Amino acid sequence: MSTSLPARIRRPVTPRTASMDEPELDKVADDLRQFLELLERSLTQFIAHGEPGYL
């Protein structure tokens, strides 16, 4: 006899998210800020001159 619950009764598994400590979060924020600044410069150059820049 099986002791597992039928699929309709089983509780769905929720994915766990990784937690980050403050220094890691600061690093991610800095990297994102640098990426967005590069993207802004490249898009500005593309709009102004039709050149894709570093993209």
Side-chain angles (χ1 to χ4, degrees), residues 1-4 15-16 19 24 31 35 37-38 40 43 50:
M1 183 170 163
S2 176
T3 59
S4 65
R16 298 209 282 167
S19 62
E24 290 175 317
D31 290 348
F35 169 75
E37 288 171 358
L38 178 60
E40 180 183 28
L43 289 174

Side-chain angles (χ1 to χ4, degrees), residues 35-55:
F35 169 75
L36 292 175
E37 288 171 358
L38 178 60
L39 179 61
E40 180 183 28
R41 277 184 264 149
S42 294
L43 289 174
T44 301
Q45 185 170 346
F46 179 73
I47 290 168
H49 306 288
E51 299 170 7
Y54 294 107
L55 294 178

